Amino acid sequence: MRKKLAIILAVLMAAASIAACGNKADTGAAAQAETQAATQAATQAATQAATEAAPAPAETQDVTITVGFDAEPTSLNPMITGATLSYWCSDMVHGTLVTFNENNTEIIPNVAESWEYENDKRLVFHLRKDVYMHNGEQVKADTIKFTMEWNLNKDNASKLRSTFEPYIDNVEVVDDFTVAFNLKSTFAPLLKSLWHMPIISAS
């Protein structure tokens, strides 16, 4: 490193000497060209030395983060528990069709990339094709259908059943990545309510 700095200083001094010791009477293009050439050489040398001296980028490594809680979650199925700790844990495991913008209350895509109301009682979602469960299962329209029907089944004691049962008539699989919610009656807060419905796997 010291040797490189010495070379840079020598080049800079040479550039200064050329500028100072040239014929003072000659202020023409030749003297200016020599000065510019020496300055350019010094700049190139400095750049090269700085590049060679820069540390190599660190190799990326897998990192495990351990988070301590003051209790055990009662369940990782957020639809059967209201415990805050359980919800925090399940929120890191389950996705939802939509979510909220962090800066405001705007509903934005999540597992669903887009949606539209075909009429007042039919809401159609178009799903992303790059979403997978932790078991490797791809999230498709039948996954969404299963999730909603699980919540509507009174035997499962879902805390979301009271939200959806009065309004959801059925869930229709249009194709692998398109699913439609057919309503019994209009339900303005449906999108907001779906933000609270984590997607679960049938398996």
Side-chain angles (χ1 to χ4, degrees):
M1 181 64 184
R2 291 181 178 178
K3 184 177 180 181
K4 293 175 181 176
L5 290 175
I7 294 173
I8 296 171
L9 290 174
V11 177
L12 289 172
M13 291 175 65
S17 298
I18 292 172
C21 298
N23 188 345
K24 295 182 180 180
D26 183 7
T27 59
Q32 292 180 2
E34 290 178 356
T35 301
Q36 290 174 355
T39 302
Q40 183 178 5
T43 302
Q44 290 175 347
T47 301
Q48 182 178 356
T51 301
E52 293 175 355
E59 295 183 1
T60 57
Q61 296 181 348
D62 292 335
V63 177
T64 300
I65 299 176
T66 302
V67 180
F69 292 108
D70 59 358
E72 289 288 334
T74 57
S75 172
L76 291 181
N77 185 341
M79 293 173 288
I80 61 174
T81 178
T84 301
L85 178 58
S86 297
Y87 190 83
W88 285 348
C89 293
S90 65
D91 192 45
M92 293 185 282
V93 178
H94 302 283
T96 53
L97 281 171
V98 296
T99 188
F100 276 103
N101 187 315
E102 294 181 356
N103 300 317
N104 52 50
T105 58
E106 177 190 10
I107 298 174
I108 59 176
N110 195 18
V111 173
E113 63 182 4
S114 64
W115 57 85
E116 71 272 349
Y117 275 96
E118 290 188 347
N119 56 58
D120 290 345
K121 296 192 291 184
R122 182 177 171 85
L123 177 59
V124 178
F125 287 94
H126 304 280
L127 308 180
R128 289 166 47 189
K129 299 178 181 180
D130 59 349
V131 181
Y132 293 82
M133 296 288 191
H134 288 72
N135 61 3
E137 176 186 337
Q138 189 173 22
V139 175
K140 295 184 177 181
D142 55 1
T143 313
I144 308 303
K145 177 180 174 68
F146 171 81
T147 299
M148 177 56 76
E149 290 180 345
W150 190 96
N151 281 282
L152 294 176
N153 187 338
K154 63 181 180 181
D155 294 334
N156 293 326
S158 169
K159 63 185 181 66
L160 297 178
R161 182 172 180 269
S162 60
T163 299
F164 294 119
E165 197 276 333
Y167 302 99
I168 301 295
D169 185 17
N170 62 75
V171 181
E172 175 188 346
V173 174
V174 179
D175 59 45
D176 279 352
F177 297 99
T178 307
V179 60
F181 288 76
N182 296 308
L183 309 182
K184 299 175 184 177
S185 60
T186 57
F187 182 37
L190 177 57
L191 281 174
K192 180 180 179 181
S193 298
L194 288 171
W195 171 65
H196 295 285
M197 187 186 78
I199 299 168
I200 58 176
S201 169
S203 59

